Amino acid sequence: SHYYTPHKSLTFKNERPADMRIVAIITCRNESLYIERCLQHLYNQGIEFCIIDNDSSDNTVEKAEAFRGKGLITVQTQPYEGFFNLVKQLEFKENLAKEIEADWFIHQDTDEIREAPEPYQTLSEAIIDVDQQGYNAINFDEFVFLPTSEDLSYENVNYVQKMKDYYFFEPMKLRQIKAWKNTRDSIDLTSSGGHRIKINERKVFPENFILRHYIVLSKRHAIEKYYHGRTFSTYEVREKRWHGSRATFTPEKLNFPSRSLLKNLDRDGWD
């Protein structure tokens, strides 16, 4: 596919002090509000990362490049076709995963923060232990964090620290199998829309890890992200039935949930 060009001249040097290399692969377009917080968290967790930029027109790439020597392996460009093409993005990730020398991979988005359950201190520590126990895939429990009124904004602040109201999202079991061991065999992210990695003889760790999902940071951001900034693939919406209400979002449909309907991290912890 002309949407993915292998870079055989690239060398991926493992600079991690641990005996296992874990790499998150991230596709982004105009994610300047998220990119620094996302990458800093991964670096703090002992995870390296590759960026696939979908022709961002803001300073996403500039902010990502600041992580050279702090977890960033490479920034590659996937041409923007004028609409959000998830199939092509996932195919790009599948191909890039074949090229990178790593022990484990994570399918990551910029608006996500991934954590290990207790008693692990970091993602890397936990994934190393999962590997040593003989498992080759990890599922994540998804906790969706949202503003609770149109007047609230978590833009340009530490939204992970400030945004505390959330709900638990689990429309089906084992929906977020997004970390997997590199078995050197073929992988399939695309058929499930990126939700559940398919690998040979998949063995999912019995305890779910944590995914904090910060879909939008304000009313302005919601409108910019899903109304002005994103047109979805007609094929994916009509034929594959992906993207749900996001594909038909308009500002008039925006309705943040009341705080009384959500859990609060300080009050309730993880539900």
PDB file of all heavy atoms in Angstrom, residues 107-141:
ATOM      1  N   HIS A 107      -1.281  -0.626  21.313  1.00  0.00           N
ATOM      2  CA  HIS A 107      -2.053   0.205  20.382  1.00  0.00           C
ATOM      3  C   HIS A 107      -2.630   1.359  21.201  1.00  0.00           C
ATOM      4  O   HIS A 107      -3.521   1.174  22.019  1.00  0.00           O
ATOM      5  CB  HIS A 107      -3.150  -0.649  19.748  1.00  0.00           C
ATOM      6  CG  HIS A 107      -4.195   0.105  18.991  1.00  0.00           C
ATOM      7  ND1 HIS A 107      -3.912   1.207  18.216  1.00  0.00           N
ATOM      8  CD2 HIS A 107      -5.532  -0.098  18.874  1.00  0.00           C
ATOM      9  CE1 HIS A 107      -5.021   1.657  17.668  1.00  0.00           C
ATOM     10  NE2 HIS A 107      -6.024   0.876  18.056  1.00  0.00           N
ATOM     11  N   GLN A 108      -2.110   2.565  20.969  1.00  0.00           N
ATOM     12  CA  GLN A 108      -2.354   3.706  21.853  1.00  0.00           C
ATOM     13  C   GLN A 108      -2.916   4.883  21.069  1.00  0.00           C
ATOM     14  O   GLN A 108      -2.513   5.132  19.928  1.00  0.00           O
ATOM     15  CB  GLN A 108      -1.031   4.121  22.511  1.00  0.00           C
ATOM     16  CG  GLN A 108      -1.061   5.366  23.346  1.00  0.00           C
ATOM     17  CD  GLN A 108      -1.576   5.114  24.752  1.00  0.00           C
ATOM     18  OE1 GLN A 108      -1.467   4.014  25.270  1.00  0.00           O
ATOM     19  NE2 GLN A 108      -2.133   6.132  25.369  1.00  0.00           N
ATOM     20  N   ASP A 109      -3.840   5.627  21.695  1.00  0.00           N
ATOM     21  CA  ASP A 109      -4.302   6.911  21.167  1.00  0.00           C
ATOM     22  C   ASP A 109      -3.829   8.016  22.105  1.00  0.00           C
ATOM     23  O   ASP A 109      -3.561   7.776  23.289  1.00  0.00           O
ATOM     24  CB  ASP A 109      -5.825   6.944  21.055  1.00  0.00           C
ATOM     25  CG  ASP A 109      -6.346   6.027  19.965  1.00  0.00           C
ATOM     26  OD1 ASP A 109      -5.598   5.754  19.003  1.00  0.00           O
ATOM     27  OD2 ASP A 109      -7.508   5.568  20.065  1.00  0.00           O
ATOM     28  N   THR A 110      -3.780   9.226  21.591  1.00  0.00           N
ATOM     29  CA  THR A 110      -3.239  10.325  22.399  1.00  0.00           C
ATOM     30  C   THR A 110      -4.152  10.709  23.551  1.00  0.00           C
ATOM     31  O   THR A 110      -3.683  11.251  24.563  1.00  0.00           O
ATOM     32  CB  THR A 110      -2.988  11.578  21.540  1.00  0.00           C
ATOM     33  OG1 THR A 110      -4.205  11.948  20.874  1.00  0.00           O
ATOM     34  CG2 THR A 110      -1.902  11.331  20.508  1.00  0.00           C
ATOM     35  N   ASP A 111      -5.456  10.452  23.429  1.00  0.00           N
ATOM     36  CA  ASP A 111      -6.378  10.845  24.507  1.00  0.00           C
ATOM     37  C   ASP A 111      -6.539   9.754  25.560  1.00  0.00           C
ATOM     38  O   ASP A 111      -7.476   9.782  26.359  1.00  0.00           O
ATOM     39  CB  ASP A 111      -7.747  11.257  23.945  1.00  0.00           C
ATOM     40  CG  ASP A 111      -8.448  10.149  23.171  1.00  0.00           C
ATOM     41  OD1 ASP A 111      -7.902   9.024  23.095  1.00  0.00           O
ATOM     42  OD2 ASP A 111      -9.553  10.410  22.634  1.00  0.00           O
ATOM     43  N   GLU A 112      -5.607   8.795  25.567  1.00  0.00           N
ATOM     44  CA  GLU A 112      -5.657   7.682  26.504  1.00  0.00           C
ATOM     45  C   GLU A 112      -4.462   7.695  27.457  1.00  0.00           C
ATOM     46  O   GLU A 112      -3.340   8.009  27.051  1.00  0.00           O
ATOM     47  CB  GLU A 112      -5.658   6.350  25.743  1.00  0.00           C
ATOM     48  CG  GLU A 112      -6.851   6.162  24.834  1.00  0.00           C
ATOM     49  CD  GLU A 112      -6.738   4.928  23.967  1.00  0.00           C
ATOM     50  OE1 GLU A 112      -5.606   4.423  23.782  1.00  0.00           O
ATOM     51  OE2 GLU A 112      -7.773   4.467  23.461  1.00  0.00           O
ATOM     52  N   ILE A 113      -4.728   7.337  28.688  1.00  0.00           N
ATOM     53  CA  ILE A 113      -3.692   7.126  29.696  1.00  0.00           C
ATOM     54  C   ILE A 113      -3.856   5.696  30.204  1.00  0.00           C
ATOM     55  O   ILE A 113      -4.916   5.342  30.731  1.00  0.00           O
ATOM     56  CB  ILE A 113      -3.809   8.125  30.866  1.00  0.00           C
ATOM     57  CG1 ILE A 113      -3.593   9.558  30.377  1.00  0.00           C
ATOM     58  CG2 ILE A 113      -2.833   7.772  31.984  1.00  0.00           C
ATOM     59  CD1 ILE A 113      -2.185   9.875  29.916  1.00  0.00           C
ATOM     60  N   ARG A 114      -2.822   4.889  30.043  1.00  0.00           N
ATOM     61  CA  ARG A 114      -2.894   3.478  30.438  1.00  0.00           C
ATOM     62  C   ARG A 114      -2.061   3.250  31.694  1.00  0.00           C
ATOM     63  O   ARG A 114      -0.956   3.781  31.827  1.00  0.00           O
ATOM     64  CB  ARG A 114      -2.418   2.574  29.300  1.00  0.00           C
ATOM     65  CG  ARG A 114      -3.290   2.698  28.066  1.00  0.00           C
ATOM     66  CD  ARG A 114      -2.874   1.751  26.939  1.00  0.00           C
ATOM     67  NE  ARG A 114      -3.690   2.009  25.767  1.00  0.00           N
ATOM     68  CZ  ARG A 114      -4.886   1.464  25.552  1.00  0.00           C
ATOM     69  NH1 ARG A 114      -5.374   0.603  26.438  1.00  0.00           N
ATOM     70  NH2 ARG A 114      -5.593   1.763  24.479  1.00  0.00           N
ATOM     71  N   GLU A 115      -2.625   2.434  32.586  1.00  0.00           N
ATOM     72  CA  GLU A 115      -1.967   2.162  33.856  1.00  0.00           C
ATOM     73  C   GLU A 115      -2.062   0.679  34.181  1.00  0.00           C
ATOM     74  O   GLU A 115      -2.972  -0.030  33.713  1.00  0.00           O
ATOM     75  CB  GLU A 115      -2.616   2.967  34.984  1.00  0.00           C
ATOM     76  CG  GLU A 115      -2.526   4.466  34.804  1.00  0.00           C
ATOM     77  CD  GLU A 115      -3.287   5.218  35.882  1.00  0.00           C
ATOM     78  OE1 GLU A 115      -4.192   4.622  36.510  1.00  0.00           O
ATOM     79  OE2 GLU A 115      -2.986   6.400  36.105  1.00  0.00           O
ATOM     80  N   ALA A 116      -1.150   0.221  35.018  1.00  0.00           N
ATOM     81  CA  ALA A 116      -1.185  -1.146  35.507  1.00  0.00           C
ATOM     82  C   ALA A 116      -1.976  -1.209  36.809  1.00  0.00           C
ATOM     83  O   ALA A 116      -2.017  -0.236  37.561  1.00  0.00           O
ATOM     84  CB  ALA A 116       0.232  -1.660  35.729  1.00  0.00           C
ATOM     85  N   PRO A 117      -2.607  -2.331  37.101  1.00  0.00           N
ATOM     86  CA  PRO A 117      -3.306  -2.479  38.380  1.00  0.00           C
ATOM     87  C   PRO A 117      -2.313  -2.649  39.515  1.00  0.00           C
ATOM     88  O   PRO A 117      -1.130  -2.924  39.296  1.00  0.00           O
ATOM     89  CB  PRO A 117      -4.131  -3.757  38.171  1.00  0.00           C
ATOM     90  CG  PRO A 117      -3.325  -4.558  37.193  1.00  0.00           C
ATOM     91  CD  PRO A 117      -2.700  -3.547  36.266  1.00  0.00           C
ATOM     92  N   GLU A 118      -2.795  -2.462  40.726  1.00  0.00           N
ATOM     93  CA  GLU A 118      -1.941  -2.716  41.888  1.00  0.00           C
ATOM     94  C   GLU A 118      -1.593  -4.206  41.935  1.00  0.00           C
ATOM     95  O   GLU A 118      -2.385  -5.042  41.513  1.00  0.00           O
ATOM     96  CB  GLU A 118      -2.674  -2.304  43.167  1.00  0.00           C
ATOM     97  CG  GLU A 118      -2.927  -0.816  43.259  1.00  0.00           C
ATOM     98  CD  GLU A 118      -3.625  -0.433  44.555  1.00  0.00           C
ATOM     99  OE1 GLU A 118      -4.081  -1.354  45.278  1.00  0.00           O
ATOM    100  OE2 GLU A 118      -3.732   0.766  44.837  1.00  0.00           O
ATOM    101  N   PRO A 119      -0.412  -4.564  42.397  1.00  0.00           N
ATOM    102  CA  PRO A 119       0.566  -3.742  43.119  1.00  0.00           C
ATOM    103  C   PRO A 119       1.671  -3.182  42.224  1.00  0.00           C
ATOM    104  O   PRO A 119       2.642  -2.639  42.727  1.00  0.00           O
ATOM    105  CB  PRO A 119       1.167  -4.749  44.103  1.00  0.00           C
ATOM    106  CG  PRO A 119       1.203  -6.025  43.323  1.00  0.00           C
ATOM    107  CD  PRO A 119      -0.048  -6.002  42.471  1.00  0.00           C
ATOM    108  N   TYR A 120       1.516  -3.302  40.895  1.00  0.00           N
ATOM    109  CA  TYR A 120       2.567  -2.854  39.994  1.00  0.00           C
ATOM    110  C   TYR A 120       2.744  -1.335  40.067  1.00  0.00           C
ATOM    111  O   TYR A 120       1.777  -0.590  40.206  1.00  0.00           O
ATOM    112  CB  TYR A 120       2.253  -3.254  38.557  1.00  0.00           C
ATOM    113  CG  TYR A 120       2.065  -4.738  38.358  1.00  0.00           C
ATOM    114  CD1 TYR A 120       0.807  -5.270  38.080  1.00  0.00           C
ATOM    115  CD2 TYR A 120       3.134  -5.620  38.442  1.00  0.00           C
ATOM    116  CE1 TYR A 120       0.619  -6.631  37.888  1.00  0.00           C
ATOM    117  CE2 TYR A 120       2.957  -6.988  38.245  1.00  0.00           C
ATOM    118  CZ  TYR A 120       1.700  -7.483  37.974  1.00  0.00           C
ATOM    119  OH  TYR A 120       1.516  -8.833  37.788  1.00  0.00           O
ATOM    120  N   GLN A 121       3.965  -0.888  39.913  1.00  0.00           N
ATOM    121  CA  GLN A 121       4.269   0.538  39.961  1.00  0.00           C
ATOM    122  C   GLN A 121       4.220   1.182  38.576  1.00  0.00           C
ATOM    123  O   GLN A 121       3.873   2.357  38.448  1.00  0.00           O
ATOM    124  CB  GLN A 121       5.658   0.761  40.577  1.00  0.00           C
ATOM    125  CG  GLN A 121       5.764   0.288  42.019  1.00  0.00           C
ATOM    126  CD  GLN A 121       4.805   1.013  42.935  1.00  0.00           C
ATOM    127  OE1 GLN A 121       4.771   2.246  42.963  1.00  0.00           O
ATOM    128  NE2 GLN A 121       4.008   0.256  43.691  1.00  0.00           N
ATOM    129  N   THR A 122       4.576   0.432  37.548  1.00  0.00           N
ATOM    130  CA  THR A 122       4.616   0.982  36.196  1.00  0.00           C
ATOM    131  C   THR A 122       4.065  -0.034  35.205  1.00  0.00           C
ATOM    132  O   THR A 122       3.992  -1.237  35.484  1.00  0.00           O
ATOM    133  CB  THR A 122       6.046   1.343  35.758  1.00  0.00           C
ATOM    134  OG1 THR A 122       6.838   0.148  35.698  1.00  0.00           O
ATOM    135  CG2 THR A 122       6.677   2.354  36.708  1.00  0.00           C
ATOM    136  N   LEU A 123       3.696   0.462  34.033  1.00  0.00           N
ATOM    137  CA  LEU A 123       3.254  -0.418  32.961  1.00  0.00           C
ATOM    138  C   LEU A 123       4.344  -1.403  32.562  1.00  0.00           C
ATOM    139  O   LEU A 123       4.073  -2.584  32.335  1.00  0.00           O
ATOM    140  CB  LEU A 123       2.856   0.418  31.745  1.00  0.00           C
ATOM    141  CG  LEU A 123       1.417   0.883  31.615  1.00  0.00           C
ATOM    142  CD1 LEU A 123       1.272   1.777  30.395  1.00  0.00           C
ATOM    143  CD2 LEU A 123       0.453  -0.296  31.525  1.00  0.00           C
ATOM    144  N   SER A 124       5.560  -0.909  32.439  1.00  0.00           N
ATOM    145  CA  SER A 124       6.642  -1.791  31.998  1.00  0.00           C
ATOM    146  C   SER A 124       6.871  -2.919  32.998  1.00  0.00           C
ATOM    147  O   SER A 124       7.047  -4.088  32.608  1.00  0.00           O
ATOM    148  CB  SER A 124       7.932  -1.002  31.771  1.00  0.00           C
ATOM    149  OG  SER A 124       8.320  -0.299  32.935  1.00  0.00           O
ATOM    150  N   GLU A 125       6.870  -2.603  34.283  1.00  0.00           N
ATOM    151  CA  GLU A 125       7.031  -3.633  35.309  1.00  0.00           C
ATOM    152  C   GLU A 125       5.932  -4.682  35.195  1.00  0.00           C
ATOM    153  O   GLU A 125       6.188  -5.894  35.272  1.00  0.00           O
ATOM    154  CB  GLU A 125       6.990  -2.991  36.698  1.00  0.00           C
ATOM    155  CG  GLU A 125       7.000  -3.986  37.852  1.00  0.00           C
ATOM    156  CD  GLU A 125       6.626  -3.357  39.189  1.00  0.00           C
ATOM    157  OE1 GLU A 125       6.595  -2.115  39.276  1.00  0.00           O
ATOM    158  OE2 GLU A 125       6.355  -4.122  40.123  1.00  0.00           O
ATOM    159  N   ALA A 126       4.707  -4.221  34.997  1.00  0.00           N
ATOM    160  CA  ALA A 126       3.570  -5.133  34.921  1.00  0.00           C
ATOM    161  C   ALA A 126       3.631  -6.006  33.683  1.00  0.00           C
ATOM    162  O   ALA A 126       3.373  -7.215  33.735  1.00  0.00           O
ATOM    163  CB  ALA A 126       2.277  -4.335  34.938  1.00  0.00           C
ATOM    164  N   ILE A 127       3.954  -5.408  32.535  1.00  0.00           N
ATOM    165  CA  ILE A 127       3.992  -6.174  31.289  1.00  0.00           C
ATOM    166  C   ILE A 127       5.103  -7.207  31.324  1.00  0.00           C
ATOM    167  O   ILE A 127       4.947  -8.340  30.832  1.00  0.00           O
ATOM    168  CB  ILE A 127       4.123  -5.222  30.083  1.00  0.00           C
ATOM    169  CG1 ILE A 127       2.833  -4.397  29.937  1.00  0.00           C
ATOM    170  CG2 ILE A 127       4.403  -5.992  28.797  1.00  0.00           C
ATOM    171  CD1 ILE A 127       2.894  -3.310  28.889  1.00  0.00           C
ATOM    172  N   ILE A 128       6.224  -6.868  31.915  1.00  0.00           N
ATOM    173  CA  ILE A 128       7.301  -7.845  32.078  1.00  0.00           C
ATOM    174  C   ILE A 128       6.823  -9.033  32.901  1.00  0.00           C
ATOM    175  O   ILE A 128       7.087 -10.194  32.580  1.00  0.00           O
ATOM    176  CB  ILE A 128       8.536  -7.181  32.721  1.00  0.00           C
ATOM    177  CG1 ILE A 128       9.204  -6.222  31.728  1.00  0.00           C
ATOM    178  CG2 ILE A 128       9.549  -8.230  33.192  1.00  0.00           C
ATOM    179  CD1 ILE A 128      10.279  -5.353  32.343  1.00  0.00           C
ATOM    180  N   ASP A 129       6.069  -8.760  33.965  1.00  0.00           N
ATOM    181  CA  ASP A 129       5.559  -9.840  34.808  1.00  0.00           C
ATOM    182  C   ASP A 129       4.517 -10.672  34.066  1.00  0.00           C
ATOM    183  O   ASP A 129       4.493 -11.907  34.178  1.00  0.00           O
ATOM    184  CB  ASP A 129       4.962  -9.270  36.092  1.00  0.00           C
ATOM    185  CG  ASP A 129       4.588 -10.360  37.090  1.00  0.00           C
ATOM    186  OD1 ASP A 129       5.454 -11.190  37.412  1.00  0.00           O
ATOM    187  OD2 ASP A 129       3.433 -10.386  37.525  1.00  0.00           O
ATOM    188  N   VAL A 130       3.641 -10.017  33.304  1.00  0.00           N
ATOM    189  CA  VAL A 130       2.650 -10.730  32.499  1.00  0.00           C
ATOM    190  C   VAL A 130       3.345 -11.680  31.526  1.00  0.00           C
ATOM    191  O   VAL A 130       2.947 -12.846  31.365  1.00  0.00           O
ATOM    192  CB  VAL A 130       1.762  -9.726  31.732  1.00  0.00           C
ATOM    193  CG1 VAL A 130       0.933 -10.432  30.663  1.00  0.00           C
ATOM    194  CG2 VAL A 130       0.849  -8.979  32.695  1.00  0.00           C
ATOM    195  N   ASP A 131       4.392 -11.187  30.897  1.00  0.00           N
ATOM    196  CA  ASP A 131       5.158 -12.003  29.957  1.00  0.00           C
ATOM    197  C   ASP A 131       5.780 -13.212  30.656  1.00  0.00           C
ATOM    198  O   ASP A 131       5.719 -14.341  30.159  1.00  0.00           O
ATOM    199  CB  ASP A 131       6.243 -11.141  29.305  1.00  0.00           C
ATOM    200  CG  ASP A 131       7.034 -11.893  28.249  1.00  0.00           C
ATOM    201  OD1 ASP A 131       7.995 -12.614  28.604  1.00  0.00           O
ATOM    202  OD2 ASP A 131       6.699 -11.756  27.065  1.00  0.00           O
ATOM    203  N   GLN A 132       6.359 -12.977  31.811  1.00  0.00           N
ATOM    204  CA  GLN A 132       7.017 -14.054  32.540  1.00  0.00           C
ATOM    205  C   GLN A 132       6.028 -15.111  33.021  1.00  0.00           C
ATOM    206  O   GLN A 132       6.400 -16.270  33.214  1.00  0.00           O
ATOM    207  CB  GLN A 132       7.810 -13.474  33.715  1.00  0.00           C
ATOM    208  CG  GLN A 132       9.019 -12.666  33.280  1.00  0.00           C
ATOM    209  CD  GLN A 132       9.730 -11.968  34.424  1.00  0.00           C
ATOM    210  OE1 GLN A 132       9.178 -11.819  35.517  1.00  0.00           O
ATOM    211  NE2 GLN A 132      10.950 -11.506  34.176  1.00  0.00           N
ATOM    212  N   GLN A 133       4.760 -14.715  33.189  1.00  0.00           N
ATOM    213  CA  GLN A 133       3.735 -15.677  33.586  1.00  0.00           C
ATOM    214  C   GLN A 133       3.178 -16.471  32.401  1.00  0.00           C
ATOM    215  O   GLN A 133       2.341 -17.360  32.577  1.00  0.00           O
ATOM    216  CB  GLN A 133       2.589 -14.965  34.302  1.00  0.00           C
ATOM    217  CG  GLN A 133       2.953 -14.402  35.668  1.00  0.00           C
ATOM    218  CD  GLN A 133       1.728 -13.894  36.406  1.00  0.00           C
ATOM    219  OE1 GLN A 133       0.727 -14.603  36.529  1.00  0.00           O
ATOM    220  NE2 GLN A 133       1.796 -12.667  36.905  1.00  0.00           N
ATOM    221  N   GLY A 134       3.633 -16.136  31.190  1.00  0.00           N
ATOM    222  CA  GLY A 134       3.251 -16.917  30.021  1.00  0.00           C
ATOM    223  C   GLY A 134       2.077 -16.385  29.238  1.00  0.00           C
ATOM    224  O   GLY A 134       1.573 -17.070  28.336  1.00  0.00           O
ATOM    225  N   TYR A 135       1.633 -15.155  29.522  1.00  0.00           N
ATOM    226  CA  TYR A 135       0.528 -14.559  28.771  1.00  0.00           C
ATOM    227  C   TYR A 135       1.086 -13.676  27.654  1.00  0.00           C
ATOM    228  O   TYR A 135       2.203 -13.162  27.752  1.00  0.00           O
ATOM    229  CB  TYR A 135      -0.364 -13.734  29.698  1.00  0.00           C
ATOM    230  CG  TYR A 135      -1.038 -14.573  30.758  1.00  0.00           C
ATOM    231  CD1 TYR A 135      -0.442 -14.734  32.021  1.00  0.00           C
ATOM    232  CD2 TYR A 135      -2.236 -15.217  30.504  1.00  0.00           C
ATOM    233  CE1 TYR A 135      -1.044 -15.510  32.996  1.00  0.00           C
ATOM    234  CE2 TYR A 135      -2.850 -15.999  31.484  1.00  0.00           C
ATOM    235  CZ  TYR A 135      -2.241 -16.150  32.726  1.00  0.00           C
ATOM    236  OH  TYR A 135      -2.837 -16.923  33.685  1.00  0.00           O
ATOM    237  N   ASN A 136       0.280 -13.485  26.596  1.00  0.00           N
ATOM    238  CA  ASN A 136       0.771 -12.708  25.466  1.00  0.00           C
ATOM    239  C   ASN A 136      -0.167 -11.576  25.041  1.00  0.00           C
ATOM    240  O   ASN A 136       0.005 -10.991  23.967  1.00  0.00           O
ATOM    241  CB  ASN A 136       1.062 -13.618  24.271  1.00  0.00           C
ATOM    242  CG  ASN A 136      -0.162 -14.383  23.786  1.00  0.00           C
ATOM    243  OD1 ASN A 136      -1.295 -14.064  24.141  1.00  0.00           O
ATOM    244  ND2 ASN A 136       0.072 -15.407  22.966  1.00  0.00           N
ATOM    245  N   ALA A 137      -1.159 -11.254  25.867  1.00  0.00           N
ATOM    246  CA  ALA A 137      -2.061 -10.149  25.542  1.00  0.00           C
ATOM    247  C   ALA A 137      -2.676  -9.604  26.829  1.00  0.00           C
ATOM    248  O   ALA A 137      -2.812 -10.326  27.823  1.00  0.00           O
ATOM    249  CB  ALA A 137      -3.167 -10.611  24.591  1.00  0.00           C
ATOM    250  N   ILE A 138      -3.061  -8.320  26.782  1.00  0.00           N
ATOM    251  CA  ILE A 138      -3.617  -7.643  27.958  1.00  0.00           C
ATOM    252  C   ILE A 138      -4.875  -6.886  27.544  1.00  0.00           C
ATOM    253  O   ILE A 138      -4.877  -6.156  26.541  1.00  0.00           O
ATOM    254  CB  ILE A 138      -2.598  -6.668  28.565  1.00  0.00           C
ATOM    255  CG1 ILE A 138      -1.372  -7.429  29.094  1.00  0.00           C
ATOM    256  CG2 ILE A 138      -3.229  -5.830  29.677  1.00  0.00           C
ATOM    257  CD1 ILE A 138      -0.215  -6.531  29.482  1.00  0.00           C
ATOM    258  N   ASN A 139      -5.932  -7.055  28.330  1.00  0.00           N
ATOM    259  CA  ASN A 139      -7.162  -6.298  28.152  1.00  0.00           C
ATOM    260  C   ASN A 139      -7.197  -5.138  29.149  1.00  0.00           C
ATOM    261  O   ASN A 139      -6.633  -5.222  30.235  1.00  0.00           O
ATOM    262  CB  ASN A 139      -8.384  -7.192  28.364  1.00  0.00           C
ATOM    263  CG  ASN A 139      -9.689  -6.481  28.074  1.00  0.00           C
ATOM    264  OD1 ASN A 139      -9.926  -6.058  26.947  1.00  0.00           O
ATOM    265  ND2 ASN A 139     -10.540  -6.353  29.080  1.00  0.00           N
ATOM    266  N   PHE A 140      -7.879  -4.062  28.764  1.00  0.00           N
ATOM    267  CA  PHE A 140      -7.967  -2.875  29.609  1.00  0.00           C
ATOM    268  C   PHE A 140      -9.425  -2.572  29.954  1.00  0.00           C
ATOM    269  O   PHE A 140     -10.297  -2.608  29.081  1.00  0.00           O
ATOM    270  CB  PHE A 140      -7.369  -1.656  28.895  1.00  0.00           C
ATOM    271  CG  PHE A 140      -5.888  -1.723  28.704  1.00  0.00           C
ATOM    272  CD1 PHE A 140      -5.332  -2.477  27.676  1.00  0.00           C
ATOM    273  CD2 PHE A 140      -5.024  -1.033  29.552  1.00  0.00           C
ATOM    274  CE1 PHE A 140      -3.963  -2.548  27.492  1.00  0.00           C
ATOM    275  CE2 PHE A 140      -3.656  -1.101  29.377  1.00  0.00           C
ATOM    276  CZ  PHE A 140      -3.116  -1.859  28.349  1.00  0.00           C
ATOM    277  N   ASP A 141      -9.678  -2.257  31.223  1.00  0.00           N
ATOM    278  CA  ASP A 141     -10.954  -1.688  31.624  1.00  0.00           C
ATOM    279  C   ASP A 141     -10.964  -0.219  31.232  1.00  0.00           C
ATOM    280  O   ASP A 141     -10.029   0.524  31.551  1.00  0.00           O
ATOM    281  CB  ASP A 141     -11.157  -1.808  33.136  1.00  0.00           C
ATOM    282  CG  ASP A 141     -11.648  -3.184  33.555  1.00  0.00           C
ATOM    283  OD1 ASP A 141     -12.301  -3.861  32.741  1.00  0.00           O
ATOM    284  OD2 ASP A 141     -11.377  -3.577  34.708  1.00  0.00           O
TER     285      ASP A 141
END
